[in-house]
Amino acid sequence: IVTSYEVLERAAFRMGLLDTTAAGTPSEKEERRINAILGLRGQISAEAEGTTSIVNVSVTDGKAQRARDLTNTVVEVYRDYNRETANRQAFRSREFILNQRSSLRDSVTQLEQQIKDFRLKENMMSVDSQTGMVLTRMNVAEEVLKQTQSSIQSIDRVLNILQDGGAASERTLSTILPEEGGGVFGQLSTQLTD
């Protein structure tokens, strides 16, 4: 990548080796530009250091100062180009991942709706719905049981009083609702209170 056309073109431009104001036809200008870039390629060599990301760049030139400047420029341009390339790749990867995530979310939503539709069609309920219904029924049954036990206790009190040969007071009888004592109790209770 260090000796790629893109990196060397930027380095040549930065060093002023590409004269954009020179006279000539467009094809002549392009030929001079290509020759300048290819000339740089002949002066520069780059090697990766082992399996690391370190790159050794060497430049051959008749003037030491120009070789140094060219080396520094190529390294700076390569660093910038590499960063730009990595950023573009990261952006494309991010976009790809976001699109995949969105697509998967849509798929999950569709599958959830299909499951819901299937359950409705087949009269199936979720475990949570079934549990909620069972708990509601149990609460109602427990309340009915408490009321029934209370009614039985009231009736037992009155029966105990009557079995002992006593008379149940109006107050004692009023604690038993007519529907709790049955039809005959209701009629007798009504006659006594009238």
Side-chain angles (χ1 to χ4, degrees):
I1 295 177
V2 174
T3 58
S4 69
Y5 186 85
E6 294 86 0
V7 171
L8 294 180
E9 181 180 32
R10 290 180 185 192
F13 182 79
R14 197 176 282 182
M15 291 196 63
L17 300 175
L18 301 179
D19 188 3
T20 57
T21 61
T25 65
S27 63
E28 289 172 340
K29 289 180 181 181
E30 181 66 19
E31 186 176 334
R32 281 195 299 268
R33 188 172 69 78
I34 291 172
N35 287 336
I37 293 167
L38 292 176
L40 285 181
R41 184 174 276 162
Q43 291 180 275
I44 300 170
S45 64
E47 285 185 30
E49 192 173 294
T51 58
T52 68
S53 61
I54 297 173
V55 178
N56 292 318
V57 177
S58 58
V59 175
T60 54
D61 193 276
K63 296 182 179 177
Q65 183 176 354
R66 183 180 153 126
R68 182 199 68 213
D69 291 345
L70 183 55
T71 301
N72 290 337
T73 302
V74 168
V75 168
E76 288 173 13
V77 167
Y78 167 71
R79 183 191 62 223
D80 294 344
Y81 178 78
N82 196 34
R83 186 177 302 129
E84 289 170 17
T85 303
N87 286 341
R88 276 193 305 272
Q89 288 174 343
F91 179 77
R92 282 194 298 262
S93 296
R94 182 179 181 276
E95 288 298 311
F96 175 78
I97 290 169
L98 289 174
N99 288 337
Q100 290 297 312
R101 183 179 70 177
S102 176
S103 176
L104 288 173
R105 281 185 177 165
D106 292 345
S107 295
V108 167
T109 301
Q110 288 175 352
L111 289 172
E112 286 174 341
Q113 186 60 46
Q114 288 174 358
I115 290 170
K116 188 176 179 181
D117 292 344
F118 176 79
R119 284 184 174 158
L120 285 173
K121 180 182 172 188
E122 300 298 323
N123 293 323
M124 295 173 69
M125 287 190 222
S126 68
V127 173
D128 290 340
S129 296
Q130 289 176 346
T131 303
M133 287 177 54
V134 168
L135 288 175
T136 300
R137 288 180 184 166
M138 284 177 55
N139 288 337
V140 168
E142 286 175 352
E143 189 60 37
V144 169
L145 176 64
K146 286 179 186 177
Q147 290 173 357
T148 304
Q149 288 172 338
S150 176
S151 296
I152 290 171
Q153 287 174 352
S154 296
I155 292 170
D156 284 346
R157 261 194 319 260
V158 171
L159 281 175
N160 287 337
I161 292 171
L162 293 174
Q163 285 175 351
D164 290 341
S169 68
E170 187 177 327
R171 183 170 171 245
T172 303
L173 292 175
S174 67
T175 62
I176 302 173
L177 297 173
E179 56 271 6
E180 293 174 341
V184 174
F185 178 80
Q187 289 173 359
L188 293 174
S189 179
T190 304
Q191 289 174 2
L192 288 173
T193 55
D194 287 343

